Amino acid sequence: MNQSLSSLPQGVRLGVSPLSWANDVLEDLGANIPLETCLDDAAAIGYQGIELGRKFPRDAATLRPFLESRGLALASGWHSGELAERDVNAEMAAVAPHASLLRDLGSSVMVYGEVAMMTPGAPLDAPMSKRLVMPDDAVADYVMRLTEFSKRLRGQYGLRLAYHHHLMMVAETFDDVSALFDRAGSEVGLLLDTGHAVGAGFDYALLIERFGDRVAHIHLKDVRSRVMEPVRVADLSFNEGVRRGMFTVPGDGDVDFGPVADFARSGGYQGWLIVEAEQDPEAAPPRPAVARAFNHILDQLR
């Protein structure tokens, strides 16, 4: 093991998201950066794994040598789920290629982002105040579908679902997350995202305190408050906030990563810590940014 990783608690691994190199939604951000550069940088810095991104091959035979030649594991990958509007059988059919890829490359967790029941049109380009909220009378049925889907995902692919609370989606606020996880079966895991919690106006440590035993995956994202606050005041869109630099890598913003480091050190969490930042690689050159983040997180864990 890389000696610099010696401060990682047992059962905890440190990975990185490819979003620092190429944005999955705003495809002009990082359009000219090849996948090889992303993977080479991640491996050279010392990360143990990486999540999927839009430039990754989506068949195991092609992707495996890209990762294995650099000593990188496939940590996970985002699935755009629609259980807010479709049944479990339809969701299982939709997820099959993605879940098969994750399973075949050794992943044990799948990121689930709910993209149904969002603002019509281009929801990430709409003012953030226009987020659609799931009606109270729809939550129980949604949670039943989510729980059943999680059971089947685990049974068929060996993957634990990690539900991503996310700005502009049906689970944005702490109350949204609580409404789901107070009712969902234990099969439904939670993805804790530090940046999306702060962006939604709550302390991510509340998720650790309330749902620590459900946390299946962690995204370490920092927030530049000097950017986020004007974006919220002006009611700009999520994508406009990203372009302006409201998110960054750990250590470059205002988020305190002490509570999540304590959670990892306590033994309460076993899994991946993923450094992630949705930002313009022209404004924030990826390799130095994620190298600073790598050192920042390991310092927090010492």
Side-chain angles (χ1 to χ4, degrees):
M1 184 177 78
N2 185 324
Q3 286 302 307
S4 61
L5 296 171
S6 59
S7 61
L8 281 176
Q10 187 173 2
V12 175
R13 293 194 283 177
L14 183 58
V16 68
S17 163
L19 289 176
S20 285
W21 289 267
N23 195 282
D24 279 355
V25 176
L26 300 170
E27 295 192 4
D28 59 304
L29 301 186
N32 297 323
I33 300 176
L35 173 61
E36 291 83 353
T37 297
C38 168
L39 298 177
D40 288 344
D41 287 351
I45 291 163
Y47 286 101
Q48 296 167 295
I50 194 163
E51 289 192 342
L52 286 172
R54 65 180 174 84
K55 295 189 178 183
F56 283 56
R58 294 303 171 120
D59 66 279
T62 305
L63 181 54
R64 183 177 286 107
F66 274 92
L67 299 176
E68 289 185 349
S69 64
R70 295 166 175 88
L72 293 170
L74 184 62
S76 188
W78 169 285
H79 168 65
S80 292
E82 297 183 32
L83 282 166
E85 295 179 352
R86 66 184 174 194
D87 65 27
V88 176
N89 286 337
E91 199 64 55
M92 287 299 296
V95 81
H98 180 67
S100 296
L101 176 63
L102 293 177
R103 176 199 60 201
D104 293 347
L105 288 177
S107 299
S108 60
V109 65
M110 185 192 81
V111 177
Y112 181 96
E114 182 59 67
V115 300
M117 204 174 288
M118 293 179 73
T119 307
L124 298 183
D125 288 320
M128 282 200 272
S129 67
K130 301 300 182 183
R131 178 179 76 97
L132 296 186
V133 177
M134 181 174 285
D136 290 342
D137 60 5
V139 172
D141 285 344
Y142 175 60
V143 167
M144 287 178 59
R145 292 193 297 275
L146 189 62
T147 301
E148 179 61 23
F149 177 71
S150 299
K151 290 178 182 177
R152 290 173 61 177
L153 186 73
R154 189 67 173 263
Q156 189 165 337
Y157 297 101
L159 297 169
R160 187 176 186 198
L161 182 141
Y163 191 98
H164 196 328
H165 60 99
H166 197 289
L167 297 177
M168 296 302 293
M169 296 183 183
V170 297
E172 177 180 288
T173 68
F174 181 70
D175 286 347
D176 294 333
V177 177
S178 298
L180 297 184
F181 278 83
D182 283 343
R183 305 183 192 189
S186 60
E187 296 85 359
V188 184
L190 174 65
L191 187 152
L192 187 159
D193 188 298
T194 55
H196 280 278
V198 172
F202 69 92
D203 183 348
Y204 75 82
L206 292 172
L207 293 177
I208 295 173
E209 294 166 8
R210 182 81 175 273
F211 302 112
D213 61 336
R214 306 290 289 275
V215 175
H217 203 57
I218 296 177
H219 281 175
L220 303 174
K221 187 190 285 94
D222 213 335
V223 172
R224 295 184 179 96
S225 298
R226 69 183 187 278
V227 179
M228 175 74 78
E229 290 169 6
V231 166
R232 280 295 199 182
V233 168
D235 196 20
L236 301 180
S237 70
F238 178 87
N239 281 340
E240 182 61 25
V242 168
R243 290 191 182 280
R244 292 187 180 206
M246 66 182 182
F247 292 132
T248 186
V249 295
D252 283 358
D254 304 303
V255 174
D256 177 8
F257 290 91
V260 76
D262 290 343
F263 181 45
R265 281 195 300 263
S266 73
Y269 177 66
Q270 302 280 290
W272 285 98
L273 301 174
I274 301 293
V275 166
E276 182 185 80
E278 292 154 291
Q279 57 184 346
D280 185 350
E282 291 291 326
R287 181 159 175 166
V290 297
R292 290 193 304 274
F294 179 88
N295 292 322
H296 182 74
I297 294 303
L298 291 180
D299 284 346
Q300 294 284 306
L301 289 167
R302 289 190 174 96

